[in-house]
Amino acid sequence: MFSDNTPTPLGAKEAKLFRDVCQAAGYTSPQLEERFGLLVPPPSDRLPATLGARLDQNGTPLDVLAKAFFLGTAVDTETANALLPDGFIRLCLQCGLLIEDGTDYRPTALVTPVGTALLASDLQRIEYQDEEQFVPALCDAALHLNAVAIRQSVGKTLDLCSGFALHGVLSCPHSETVVASDLNPRAAAFARFNAALNGFENLRAVTGELFDAVKGERFNLILANPPFVISPDAMTTYRFNPIALDGFVRQMLSQAADHLEEGGILQTICEWVEVQGQDWQDRLRGWLADSGCDVWILPANRQLPASYARNTLAQTISDEAELAAQQAKWENYFQEQRVEAIQGGFLFIRRRAGKNWFDVTQMTKPIRQPIGDAIARGFSNRDLALSDDSDALLSSRLTVANGLRQVETSHWKEFRWQRDSIVLHLDDGLPVSIGIDEYVRTLLEMFDGSRPVLECLDRFANQVGLAIETGRKQGTAMVRSLLKNGILVATGR
Ligand SMILES: C[S@@+](CC[C@H](N)C(=O)[O-])C[C@H]1O[C@@H](n2cnc3c(N)ncnc32)[C@H](O)[C@@H]1O
């Protein structure tokens, strides 16, 4: 049965002991991934049989910790007492993470490792997900947002719709202060527990609708994984957009600019719809027109209503008849609302005085490594590439991105190699693969950061035999595109 209890925050000494025991046992995300092939805890009421059987051997401290705190299942007291230090079990019982139940210790919460942090949340159970006060554990969307989050030193960070405050806790080391805000008061209790568990004192957890609990406050960074799933009726608070279609995300964005410092950035992962007869980019542009923000959208996937409905519903409904009935209801709704497709991805906005830009970058591969630095560079590159002021671009110094690879294919014909293609690949940061021609390759070779763009373009024109004016015009367009792709980067000189 779902319980309202949340664990009591640990003191600094106990928190350190907890972290040390987890570290020594190898209870870390890379080890869990290597051992079980999982980063995100599976629902404990739908555990794959093979996983349970493997862990029943209970051979190591890692097995016991994973069974209790990653899978959320009971461990027998004898094995746990034999494998884990005394003090550790005691503190888990004292703070309420474990309760003694006959010959078992039963977890009341998960504690999921993410990077170097440990994050407590409610047990991951399908049967709990309809509970208003449910605080979800780590999910894929949270990991994706974490991968793109900008991790530069800032004053104030807001984790909006924070849940167990993963984004807030991971922002503590590079923020002077962090606020975690969520509608659900139990989320604030978990956020406080998690800040203490990870040894941070600079996180404040508050409760309120959207920005209500931070009225009048401005932030340098806002990270938000809001309830964004689009459905005919919002079935749970934590996952489903409570306003028609993508209305909740729109509302969040419309209020965000007032909570950003000049230069402050909001990064969100969300979904939005394509409505028949309307260009989706114009629709989103309209949401943020006059917001005083630059807008950078990174769509990652696009689904037709039928597959979106099926894929989303199948995550929680296993009964085929119920699934079919719900799917029909969802498809009707999408048809009535003239939804042609649902897109998912990232939306970044940055408050900036002056003429704002709007840009879309289609993501071609899932992001696995943290790329926050590349996202921050993406903003400065776009400031140059999308500015009407070509003087700023022409006087800047650019260099070719580290790690750029070139793959050239040719075929043998008529006694010589005939080139088929030259493709540039950038694996670091936002993955890029673009076909170029000989001209662009020659142009790229001009950029070593030592001279302004204008000089590079004139050298390029000389080298390929173009008139200087033509070289400047064509070269500028190429440089703008290469900057947007991250293949050229500003040196800051
Ligand atoms: C998808 S969960 C994300 C939780 C966490 N940030 C993460 O990344 O795992 C969305 C969160 O938004 C919260 N929420 C839902 N409606 C809200 C609202 N109107 N205002 C503030 N928070 C809300 C839910 O309680 C839930 O914790």
Side-chain angles (χ1 to χ4, degrees), residues 22-45:
C22 291
Q23 190 65 40
Y27 186 61
T28 60
S29 37
Q31 295 255 28
L32 285 176
E33 189 176 22
E34 191 185 315
R35 185 115 199 240
F36 311 115
L38 293 172
L39 283 173
V40 169
S44 55
D45 41 358

Side-chain angles (χ1 to χ4, degrees), residues 10 18-19 61 102 108 158 165 179 199 253 333 357 401 416 424 450 490:
L10 299 174
F18 194 99
R19 298 196 300 271
T108 63
L158 172 65
V179 180
L253 293 171
Y333 171 68
W357 49 256
R416 63 191 186 91
L424 296 181
S450 68

Side-chain angles (χ1 to χ4, degrees), residues 138-158:
L138 181 68
C139 63
D140 286 325
L143 277 179
H144 292 147
L145 179 62
N146 184 40
V148 298
I150 297 174
R151 303 265 171 232
Q152 294 177 341
S153 288
V154 288
K156 282 183 81 176
T157 295
L158 172 65

Side-chain angles (χ1 to χ4, degrees), residues 132 134-139 141-143 145 159-167 181-184 187 208-211 224-228 237-240 242 248 251:
E132 202 55 16
F134 176 65
V135 178
L138 181 68
C139 63
L143 277 179
L145 179 62
D159 181 353
L160 186 68
C161 298
S162 54
F164 65 157
L166 164 76
H167 311 295
S181 184
D182 196 285
L183 185 62
N184 177 357
E209 161 83 22
L210 269 181
F211 292 97
N225 173 14
F228 57 69
T237 319
Y238 83 93
R239 235 176 125 221
F240 289 89
F248 185 75
Q251 192 178 80

